[in-house]
Amino acid sequence: MKPTPEMLALAQAWALCHGHLDALQDALGDMRCRQLTLADLEHPSSADRRLLDQFAYRYTRLQDDMGGRLMPALLRALGEEVAAMPALDRFARLEQLGWLASAEDWNVLWQIRNQFAHDYPDSIDERFERLQAAMDAADQLIAIIAHIDRKLHQRFSESALVFSSSTHGARHRTPQSPAP
């Protein structure tokens, strides 16, 4: 069976998010190994600055693309009309359908993301606290996308597109059409 445009859009959004996810997991792992301190944040080395930039970029992109691309594409693939639906209503609908544990928790994660990305406190202590909150929020995003991955596999396993998060030792792969 030929994939529908909605399924193709979902597969594209899924692949985009998983690209960010892989890089975010790498950055989180490196940050945890590095164990950045307040002093490191106040006077970062070039390597630390690149690591922080990588984390910040992938963390914000993953959440942006999950909320702005993956979740709307998922709702459309489920037959929901999302064109006129505000973002908060999309998150609430995904919660009702069991794809998102809590729309309220998603909004809290969004607030953490906005504080991390757009607020620049003068206090190094406050910047360090926001970094720690963003790292915790990133872990929650990873758990949310893992839940979505499980549900995609269950719901769309008969689809012409395959959503799989493990193959040949890799964490993720791009959805592909099966061989004819």
Side-chain angles (χ1 to χ4, degrees):
M1 178 188 333
K2 185 176 179 181
T4 65
E6 292 81 11
M7 287 301 295
L8 290 172
L10 176 57
Q12 183 179 29
W14 183 90
L16 176 67
C17 287
H18 276 267
H20 295 309
L21 176 65
D22 286 343
L24 175 60
Q25 287 176 313
D26 288 343
L28 277 170
D30 291 347
M31 289 173 74
R32 290 195 171 108
C33 285
R34 174 67 179 89
Q35 298 180 355
L36 293 170
T37 65
L38 280 170
D40 295 326
L41 194 59
E42 191 168 25
H43 303 288
S45 67
S46 294
D48 289 343
R49 192 174 306 109
R50 282 191 299 273
L51 181 57
L52 290 165
D53 286 349
Q54 175 74 347
F55 168 76
Y57 177 74
R58 295 303 181 155
Y59 163 62
T60 56
R61 287 305 315 198
L62 178 60
Q63 189 161 15
D64 288 350
D65 288 339
M66 284 175 70
R69 294 176 187 234
L70 181 64
M71 292 181 186
L74 174 58
L75 285 167
R76 283 189 294 276
L78 293 169
E80 299 284 327
E81 180 54 51
V82 298
M85 191 182 289
L88 294 175
D89 292 345
R90 290 194 305 258
F91 306 143
R93 184 64 181 142
L94 285 167
E95 179 182 357
Q96 290 171 343
L97 296 171
W99 288 82
L100 190 60
S102 168
E104 184 176 327
D105 288 351
W106 179 265
N107 288 327
V108 169
L109 292 174
W110 194 258
Q111 291 169 1
I112 292 168
R113 175 241 182 260
N114 284 343
Q115 287 177 343
F116 177 73
H118 300 298
D119 294 345
Y120 305 101
D122 291 330
S123 161
I124 190 67
D125 291 327
E126 193 173 347
R127 286 194 308 242
F128 190 75
E129 287 173 17
R130 291 205 180 155
L131 174 61
Q132 295 301 314
M135 290 173 66
D136 292 342
D139 286 332
Q140 292 176 49
L141 287 179
I142 292 167
I144 290 169
I145 204 162
H147 174 73
I148 290 172
D149 284 354
R150 285 188 298 276
K151 299 270 296 177
L152 282 170
H153 181 71
Q154 292 167 355
R155 175 72 164 82
F156 298 111
S157 64
E158 299 299 318
S159 170
L161 297 174
V162 178
F163 297 94
S164 175
S165 33
S166 62
T167 182
H168 307 296
R171 278 184 294 223
H172 304 284
R173 70 178 174 146
T174 304
Q176 301 172 356
S177 296

